[in-house]
Amino acid sequence: MRRKSSVLGAVTVVVLAGGTLVGCGDGGSSDGGGSASRTSAGASAATTSPGSTAATSPASTSASPFSGASATLPPKKGTGSDADEHRAEAKAATMLPAPEAIGKALAHTPGKVLSAEIDDNAQDRLIWEFEILAKDGTLQAVNVNPAGGAILSSHQERGESDDLARGKRLLTGGATDAAAAAKAAAAKGTVVSVKLKPENGGHWSVETGPGDRDWSVPLDSVKVSPERHD
């Protein structure tokens, strides 16, 4: 019997080397005491072998390089009426008002904002989208999460030479900037977009919600007036 016990011990060692701890009672069967459910660190490693799809989490391939980018985004704009969409945009904009959102974007990409707009992204989630005339003379797109102000993404815009030329031509000297225009128009409602327009020597076209109204702010003051649509 001593020799038989030695053989069983050897079997146990072999099994342990394979990565699984098996409890043996009399005759080598499980004694029901729970020892069979224990696994060693080797067992855990075995479940994530090179051929196992569980070894890589899908989330690891889509992680954003920007801090806080995975934070919850505002709800989808929805597919209801125009009024419903305008209310959803205004609600998202109240989470991070336009002047503050502009500050977040410029802290990441210094320069001059040419446009700021609450719009839906590829996943139909509402975000702040910016076009910035960067200090190096390029046109940069920056996306900001209204829920917390994290930078979601940024990249250089291509094929937008008209916007770039307009910004360089109009935003010179002491011209009213996007943040000042947004602050002035905030008295009319929640600012959901600010865009540089070339008409009348240049002005800011500002949209407020939830009533979907358009305002004009000149480049030489912060006077707000209803925008005329010719």
Side-chain angles (χ1 to χ4, degrees):
M1 293 301 292
R2 181 180 300 276
R3 179 177 179 78
K4 180 177 181 180
S5 297
S6 299
V7 172
L8 286 174
V11 171
T12 302
V13 171
V14 171
V15 173
L16 280 172
T20 304
L21 177 62
V22 180
C24 296
D26 295 339
S29 63
S30 174
D31 61 3
S35 59
S37 65
R38 295 196 302 270
T39 58
S40 68
S44 298
T47 61
T48 55
S49 62
S52 171
T53 57
T56 302
S57 170
S60 65
T61 62
S62 60
S64 169
F66 297 104
S67 175
S70 60
T72 302
L73 293 171
K76 296 181 180 180
K77 181 187 289 187
T79 57
S81 65
D82 288 344
D84 288 340
E85 292 188 359
H86 295 151
R87 281 192 289 269
E89 290 170 352
K91 184 176 181 180
T94 58
M95 300 173 72
L96 185 67
E100 296 178 27
I102 290 171
K104 296 284 187 182
L106 290 179
H108 178 271
T109 304
K112 299 175 181 179
V113 168
L114 305 184
S115 70
E117 180 180 16
I118 285 283
D119 202 358
D120 47 346
N121 65 3
Q123 290 74 42
D124 294 326
R125 311 295 286 191
L126 292 171
I127 62 173
W128 276 111
E129 296 182 344
F130 294 89
E131 275 192 340
I132 298 175
L133 171 57
K135 287 187 174 182
D136 63 1
T138 61
L139 186 63
Q140 301 289 327
V142 178
N143 294 334
V144 176
N145 186 351
I151 301 299
L152 297 171
S153 64
S154 69
H155 64 272
Q156 182 175 339
E157 288 274 39
R158 302 185 184 279
E160 303 290 343
S161 57
D162 290 345
D163 292 345
L164 194 60
R166 183 183 305 134
K168 291 179 178 180
R169 176 169 56 88
L170 296 176
L171 297 181
T172 59
T176 302
D177 61 20
K183 288 178 182 177
K188 305 295 185 179
T190 301
V191 175
V192 296
S193 75
V194 184
K195 297 181 179 180
L196 181 64
K197 299 286 187 177
E199 294 81 11
N200 303 318
H203 72 283
W204 292 104
S205 176
V206 185
E207 181 183 346
T208 60
D212 187 28
R213 300 187 65 186
D214 296 323
W215 308 92
S216 178
V217 179
L219 298 182
D220 60 356
S221 75
V222 288
K223 181 181 178 180
V224 181
S225 58
E227 185 168 23
R228 294 169 53 187
H229 296 282
D230 298 329

